[in-house]
Amino acid sequence: KCRTGPLDIVFVIDSSRSVRPFEFETMRRFMIDIIGNLDVGPNATRVGVIQYSSQVQNIFSLKTFFTRAEMERAINSIVPLAQGTMTGLAIQYAMNVAFTVSEGARPPHKKIPRIAIIVTDGRPQDRVSEVATQARNAGIEIYAVGIQRADMNSLRAMASPPLEEHVFLVESFELIQQFGKQFQDKLCGVDMCMERDHGCQHSCVSTPGSFYCECHPGYQLNADGRTCSPIDACADGRHGCEHLCISARGTYSCRCRAGYHLNQDKRTCTMIDYCSFGNHSCQHDCVSIPAGHRCRCRHGFMLQHDGKSCRAIDLCNGVDHGCEFKCVSSEGSFRCVCPEGQQLQADGKTCSKCGAGHVDLVMVIDGSKSVRPQNFELVKQFVNRIVDLLEVSPDGTRVGLVQYSSRVRTEFPLNKYHSAEEIKAAVMKVEYMEKGTMTGLALKHMVEHSFSELEGARPLSHNVPRIGLVFTDGRSQDDISEWAQRAKESGIVMFAVGVGKAVEEELRAIASEPVEQHFSYSADFTTMTHLVENFKLNICPEEGRGETEIRSPCECEALVQFQTNTVAILQSLTERNILWLTVFLADPLAQMTVRLEALEKQIALKK
């Protein structure tokens, strides 16, 4: 057996049409005989085989087999390609693929010799000199074995120096087996580990004319090249242990600090749930801590001296709440409320009428492919008309914008801009996304991110209304029901605006109650300007009532007033009709003028 030490050997076999079937059988025997005298294995010599003609075929790579029996079966099953003779292509494949670490070659720092044995019977049909030089420069030692009709100049162009030791010409296929015995002596030499006092602490690996030391798994070779030391697997910081990393002979294990247990991933830790033991006796909530547990009261309650029972707190009676109208105590806190028809100001204490109130408004616009670029510009104009209705300021109304298609993108959060001019300029710079319509994903993003305090939403304790406006032109490609419901449950007043092919069922699912006041529809993008006024009236109903005083129609005072108003209107109408009739009879041109003036007045009154 060859005991030179480990080698990486790849046979490059010519299976062109000039190699007759019985001749190819002798090439099989040549490879099998060579392998039969090698010490093969994952840590010994590795063998790969490729055949070529007009193309290259990998029979098995350096990492495929590690026993002679497996290799022999694979070699006996080779079917010759029987085409041209592209030897240069085969050398390039050996260099770029067969001798790579991913295909089983040992890394260069291991200093394992890489040997290519090329067996051919003819002249190459492509260039071999340049690619062979590249392969040799890459550290591949090339033996060129020509049989019968092989071109000696091509063999010399392929082989490594000295040529007399790497170029062989066999007169016939019948003599290749006898040549195989001679060639084996070229690969095998003296076992340097046996001949010298190598001084390796763990193991010695022999190579042609030299040797090197290797360490057992879990150890690394020291700078002296002979002794070994344990590998600290925790030192590189890539262990992923959440708490503690324990190194042991090249590997590691993770451990948790006291009060925690290791999860199934063997890396992360979870605090032990002492509350689950059922012996805490807490009146309200039990909270696990690393050292055990503690009791906690729900909002609006205070923990008693026994550390277990809770007592309610009425903060409206115990603090100077400063509410202008009324203080309402609620679970450990309080909030101010205003009379019907008025809104709580940003200070959370004073009240104002709806027209002067403030909101946190997030508009979620559909940027899917069906909208089209020209219509998307109309959508941006629609957004800016809504902005024109609002008193935008840090302490007043805040506006955020989200666009969605197959994904969701925050164009700007609630705390980004502080004036209507800034917002409108930012809206016009928004770029159209295109692609799908994931309305459910957009609703999820709005609930989880857009109305967070991190992105500028006022705390719930400030009682600033949160309004979400969803604009879409088609059916959603995902489910909307869950996140539409969550939005409303979290206190967001939801408005749904649909255009074109928007689905009424989905719009109603998004809209808050009463649904008829919270969803709108327009047949196309060019006729949706009326939706702005609808939105204005619904977020602030007083805007559409002018100075009209709403009174009970059953009160006597109201009835008298109603009669007086009715009589005045009837008298006015009678006087106008008499005037019109007089002018009509006197002058046909004047009558036309009067009719036009009457129409103009009617239109003005409707406005």
Side-chain angles (χ1 to χ4, degrees):
K1 293 290 187 291
C2 182
R3 302 193 182 278
T4 319
L7 304 170
D8 285 343
I9 299 177
V10 174
F11 288 94
V12 183
I13 303 302
D14 181 354
S15 65
S16 59
R17 67 172 64 92
S18 62
V19 180
R20 288 168 288 188
F22 75 89
E23 295 174 336
F24 193 80
E25 293 304 316
T26 62
M27 295 174 74
R28 286 189 215 267
R29 193 71 256 163
F30 167 73
M31 288 187 285
I32 292 171
D33 288 346
I34 294 293
I35 293 170
N37 289 286
L38 296 174
D39 182 18
V40 297
N43 297 318
T45 293
R46 300 182 183 181
V47 179
V49 176
I50 61 176
Q51 69 164 332
Y52 73 94
S53 59
S54 297
Q55 58 188 355
V56 180
Q57 182 186 29
N58 181 48
I59 305 303
F60 58 87
S61 63
L62 293 167
K63 66 179 180 181
T64 307
F65 302 126
F66 296 113
T67 66
R68 284 186 289 275
E70 291 174 314
M71 295 176 185
E72 185 173 342
R73 280 195 296 271
I75 291 171
N76 284 329
S77 66
I78 298 174
V79 177
L81 298 173
Q83 295 174 357
T85 311
M86 303 295 285
T87 311
L89 182 65
I91 296 172
Q92 187 166 18
Y93 180 89
M95 175 178 61
N96 294 340
V97 180
F99 279 110
T100 59
V101 174
S102 61
E103 289 295 299
R106 264 71 65 97
H109 72 269
K110 293 277 190 179
K111 299 181 180 178
I112 306 295
R114 296 181 175 183
I115 297 173
I117 302 173
I118 303 172
V119 183
T120 180
D121 81 322
R123 183 188 297 275
Q125 294 176 335
D126 57 353
R127 293 177 175 271
V128 297
S129 178
E130 183 177 342
V131 70
T133 301
Q134 292 175 358
R136 293 193 299 268
N137 291 340
I140 301 172
E141 187 176 1
I142 300 177
Y143 288 89
V145 180
I147 304 174
Q148 205 166 292
R149 299 171 293 273
D151 177 57
M152 179 57 77
N153 290 332
S154 298
L155 297 177
R156 294 171 66 87
M158 290 185 278
S160 297
L163 296 179
E164 58 271 16
E165 294 183 10
H166 293 82
V167 177
F168 305 94
L169 185 61
V170 183
E171 293 180 358
S172 67
F173 282 91
E174 290 80 4
L175 298 176
I176 194 169
Q177 279 186 269
Q178 180 181 350
F179 163 75
K181 295 181 175 63
Q182 300 172 0
F183 185 74
Q184 179 183 321
D185 295 337
K186 294 288 182 183
L187 298 178
C188 300
V190 178
D191 186 344
M192 300 301 292
C193 291
M194 299 292 292
E195 295 292 322
R196 294 185 182 180
D197 180 15
H198 52 76
C200 296
Q201 182 179 354
H202 286 181
S203 60
C204 175
V205 179
S206 181
T207 61
S210 184
F211 69 90
Y212 64 91
C213 298
E214 276 191 347
C215 297
H216 298 326
Y219 292 82
Q220 60 186 0
L221 197 64
N222 293 328
D224 60 11
R226 284 171 168 73
T227 59
C228 302
S229 59
I231 297 172
D232 183 359
C234 297
D236 61 6
R238 294 182 295 178
H239 48 78
C241 297
E242 184 177 356
H243 284 184
L244 307 173
C245 176
I246 310 299
S247 180
R249 293 189 177 182
T251 186
Y252 67 90
S253 60
C254 298
R255 291 184 188 173
C256 298
R257 293 190 290 270
Y260 294 80
H261 65 80
L262 195 65
N263 294 327
Q264 290 185 350
D265 61 8
K266 303 299 182 184
R267 284 176 168 78
T268 58
C269 301
T270 299
M271 189 168 63
I272 298 172
D273 186 4
Y274 291 100
C275 294
S276 64
F277 299 162
N279 58 353
H280 51 77
S281 302
C282 297
Q283 182 180 352
H284 283 183
D285 301 326
C286 175
V287 180
S288 289
I289 57 177
H293 75 277
R294 63 179 177 84
C295 295
R296 182 178 63 191
C297 296
R298 292 191 289 271
H299 291 298
F301 295 83
M302 181 172 63
L303 191 67
Q304 299 301 292
H305 294 298
D306 62 3
K308 297 179 180 179
S309 56
C310 303
R311 186 180 69 186
I313 304 171
D314 184 1
L315 290 179
C316 285
N317 292 329
V319 297
D320 181 16
H321 51 75
C323 296
E324 180 183 340
F325 178 68
K326 184 178 179 181
C327 174
V328 178
S329 184
S330 60
E331 296 191 350
S333 182
F334 70 89
R335 60 187 176 89
C336 299
V337 295
C338 294
E340 186 176 357
Q342 296 187 28
Q343 279 189 324
L344 197 66
Q345 292 280 57
D347 62 7
K349 296 180 180 180
T350 57
C351 302
S352 69
K353 291 186 178 180
C354 180
H358 305 301
V359 298
D360 285 343
L361 170 64
V362 174
M363 289 180 274
V364 182
I365 60 174
D366 185 347
S368 60
K369 180 171 55 179
S370 59
V371 174
R372 306 287 178 85
Q374 63 272 26
N375 290 332
F376 190 73
E377 294 302 311
L378 296 176
V379 172
K380 293 196 289 186
Q381 294 176 21
F382 172 83
V383 170
N384 279 347
R385 290 193 179 187
I386 292 176
V387 174
D388 285 334
L389 302 175
L390 308 172
E391 296 178 10
V392 179
S393 69
D395 296 323
T397 292
R398 298 181 183 181
V399 178
L401 183 64
V402 173
Q403 183 186 175
Y404 73 98
S405 57
S406 298
R407 56 188 178 88
V408 184
R409 183 173 72 204
T410 297
E411 300 296 351
F412 52 85
L414 288 165
N415 56 5
K416 178 72 173 178
Y417 300 113
H418 305 309
S419 70
E421 289 72 24
E422 289 178 303
I423 292 173
K424 291 166 69 176
V427 168
M428 296 313 295
K429 292 178 182 177
V430 170
E431 295 183 356
Y432 180 34
M433 293 176 71
E434 296 188 350
K435 298 190 178 178
T437 310
M438 304 293 283
T439 311
L441 183 64
L443 289 169
K444 180 177 185 292
H445 180 91
M446 180 195 73
V447 173
E448 293 184 340
H449 300 286
S450 301
F451 281 109
S452 66
E453 292 183 29
L454 183 66
E455 293 202 3
R458 264 72 67 95
L460 291 172
S461 60
H462 288 187
N463 292 310
V464 176
R466 294 182 172 184
I467 296 178
L469 186 150
V470 179
F471 183 100
T472 181
D473 83 320
R475 182 181 296 275
S476 176
Q477 295 172 336
D478 61 349
D479 180 62
I480 66 164
S481 58
E482 178 185 355
W483 287 100
Q485 185 62 30
R486 286 201 192 185
K488 288 176 276 191
E489 288 174 354
S490 67
I492 303 171
V493 179
M494 294 299 299
F495 287 81
V497 177
V499 178
K501 296 182 180 179
V503 180
E504 181 177 349
E505 180 184 354
E506 292 185 354
L507 297 176
R508 288 179 172 272
I510 294 171
S512 293
E513 295 288 342
V515 173
E516 299 300 329
Q517 292 182 16
H518 291 83
F519 97 95
S520 304
Y521 174 80
S522 180
D524 60 52
F525 290 85
T526 59
T527 61
M528 64 184 183
T529 52
H530 69 281
L531 302 180
V532 177
E533 191 64 27
N534 289 350
F535 180 73
K536 175 183 177 182
L537 294 175
N538 284 319
I539 63 169
C540 186
E542 286 75 16
E543 289 288 335
R545 296 177 186 164
E547 299 299 325
T548 304
E549 183 180 3
I550 301 173
R551 303 175 64 181
S552 171
C554 297
E555 291 178 1
C556 179
E557 225 176 306
L559 288 171
V560 173
Q561 184 66 43
F562 174 77
Q563 291 174 351
T564 303
N565 291 343
T566 304
V567 170
I569 292 170
L570 288 172
Q571 287 177 348
S572 174
L573 289 173
T574 303
E575 290 170 0
R576 279 187 291 179
N577 287 335
I578 292 172
L579 174 63
W580 177 83
L581 181 62
T582 302
V583 176
F584 181 85
L585 294 172
D587 186 354
L589 181 60
Q591 64 181 279
M592 183 62 68
T593 304
V594 170
R595 291 182 66 184
L596 289 173
E597 289 176 352
L599 285 172
E600 288 175 356
K601 288 179 180 179
Q602 289 178 19
I603 292 170
L605 287 170
K606 287 182 179 179
K607 288 185 178 178

